[in-house]
Amino acid sequence: MIYSDFNLKPLNTFGLETKAKTLISIDNESDLIEINDTSLSERNLILGGGSNTVFVNDYFDGTILLIRNKGINLVHEDEETVILDAFSGEVWNDVVSFCAEKGWWGIENLAAVHGNVGAVAVQNIGAYGAELKECFVECLTYSPLKKEWKTYLNKDLDFGYRYSIFKNQKELEIIWKVRLRLSKKMKINDSYAAIRDKIIEENLIISSPLDMVNLVTKVRNSKLPDPRVLGNCGSFFKNPIVSESHFELLKKEYPSIPSYAAKDGVKLAAGWLIEQCGYKGKRIGNVGMHEKQALIMVNFGNAKGEEILNLAFEIEKSVKNIFNVELEKEVHIIL
Ligand code: EPU
């Protein structure tokens, strides 16, 4: 279906008031035919669950491709392993619950991450010690301009922290479905301190992926605002990575600075840096940084694009001045 002047407010978890000149709803393969020279514009944007997309203008003068194809198909099963395809329009957390209920291990630590399946591969979602890339096998994509289907294997995507090659993709390419490999064997991942501490503190026994889903969901919900209540896009910034020498200097001055080993240096907690700069729970107009997690920008109701960009800029400047660290936005800003 093709719509004009479509209201995007229910389609972005930040809850921003905005409209799109054209929106094409892609519910199944036969809808792909509607993506053509007439329906496409100079600007085209693929939208899934809208949980990482921040529309800072009240009008998107282009075409939104809303991906809503559903389905979870079992591709292979043996005594130890399960391989399944999840279509991009599925809500990610529904896939997590489906797999956990079947007793399949692998994505339970990624419970309650907002968004749809298509987006999880774009930015290699990660939470509580797990990353999508660990169980991602491949994905199938469709290029509406070339009218071509293509399969990308895990190694083709150059997965990194909140990164895959789709992040920098200039050409329009729809992720159609994602193939995952899960395990029937118990594989508890309690590497993240907040999870491990909770297990010890509450004397929990994790004996199924569903137990882990319940625990992760509880820990997550205790810190992160529900977008249905308070509009947000999860982490607004990425956790920055600094050099070892820079970290040593910071550690001397701030001995309690949280840090994690990273591939190219030391990863810092952006939420901690922002809190030190005094922005935790701080509200400026219709926007602010969440009172329980300073990394989450929230919409108190009628946030305007300008307010979002100003607050982000102020925080970036402050973190740079105090810690000499550059923050990079994790959310996708649509100007
Ligand atoms: N911290 C503070 N103050 C804050 C927030 C955090 O001091 O206001 C400290 C915490 O005490 C902790 C450290 O910073 O020592 C890390 O905090 P947390 O465990 O909450 O995780 P995070 O690094 O802030 C990342 C992801 C989240 C993911 C969590 C859990 C990024 C950008 N964010 O946040 O992902 O849920 O780890 O694994 O990597 C998202 O992408 O939208 C998201 C929520």
Side-chain angles (χ1 to χ4, degrees), residues 1-251:
M1 282 288 278
I2 304 186
Y3 303 88
S4 298
D5 282 335
F6 197 89
N7 176 16
L8 296 177
K9 186 167 179 178
L11 298 182
N12 75 94
T13 64
F14 214 101
L16 294 163
E17 293 278 358
T18 183
K19 277 186 179 173
K21 185 177 79 180
T22 307
L23 181 138
I24 312 176
S25 177
I26 315 284
D27 295 31
N28 49 57
E29 212 174 306
S30 60
D31 292 336
L32 291 172
I33 203 160
E34 295 191 329
I35 314 173
N36 51 43
D37 290 349
T38 319
S39 58
L40 287 176
S41 309
E42 240 170 71
R43 292 189 77 193
N44 303 293
L45 178 76
I46 297 169
L47 192 64
S51 54
N52 211 40
T53 307
V54 180
F55 293 97
V56 292
N57 290 315
D58 53 10
Y59 195 68
F60 180 77
D61 189 15
T63 301
I64 301 274
L65 305 177
L66 183 65
I67 311 302
R68 308 204 321 173
N69 58 339
K70 300 263 183 198
I72 302 175
N73 293 345
L74 194 60
V75 176
H76 169 85
E77 185 174 9
D78 59 33
E79 272 174 27
E80 290 187 4
T81 314
V82 171
I83 295 181
L84 59 93
D85 282 343
F87 285 80
S88 292
E90 284 288 342
V91 172
W92 170 253
N93 197 42
D94 291 350
V95 177
V96 172
S97 300
F98 174 88
C99 295
E101 272 160 24
K102 295 270 189 194
W104 302 336
W105 296 84
I107 49 176
E108 59 285 350
N109 288 42
L110 300 175
V113 170
H114 295 288
N116 291 357
V117 166
V120 297
V122 174
Q123 55 165 6
N124 181 27
I125 56 163
Y128 301 105
E131 276 186 312
L132 180 82
K133 69 173 184 187
E134 290 146 20
C135 50
F136 177 97
V137 179
E138 62 185 44
C139 63
L140 178 70
T141 68
Y142 178 71
S143 156
L145 299 174
K146 294 185 187 153
K147 308 223 176 318
E148 236 173 55
W149 293 91
K150 192 169 170 184
T151 296
Y152 289 89
L153 303 179
N154 186 313
K155 66 176 171 46
D156 300 330
L157 295 188
D158 194 21
F159 281 128
Y161 167 58
R162 293 294 195 276
Y163 180 80
S164 82
I165 56 162
F166 292 118
K167 272 262 174 174
N168 297 332
Q169 200 86 317
K170 296 279 175 282
E171 204 182 284
L172 206 55
E173 194 165 9
I174 297 168
I175 296 177
W176 192 248
K177 62 179 181 182
V178 167
R179 182 164 292 180
L180 303 173
R181 180 183 289 110
L182 303 176
S183 172
K184 289 185 182 174
K185 281 187 158 178
M186 179 131 94
K187 270 190 187 170
I188 298 173
N189 177 353
D190 59 359
S191 58
Y192 204 79
I195 295 296
R196 209 170 43 239
D197 292 352
K198 201 81 179 166
I199 293 176
I200 296 168
E201 212 178 283
E202 295 190 4
N203 228 345
L204 299 173
I205 294 170
I206 303 290
S207 56
S208 74
L210 204 52
D211 292 339
M212 191 55 110
V213 164
N214 292 335
L215 171 58
V216 166
T217 304
K218 199 167 143 194
V219 170
R220 217 181 151 88
N221 291 347
S222 71
K223 282 190 188 174
L224 306 186
D226 180 345
R228 287 167 303 187
V229 180
L230 205 52
N232 74 85
C233 271
S235 303
F236 196 89
F237 299 99
K238 284 193 204 176
N239 284 334
I241 295 171
V242 297
S243 66
E244 289 278 355
S245 54
H246 188 166
F247 174 68
E248 287 312 320
L249 288 175
L250 289 171
K251 181 88 183 157

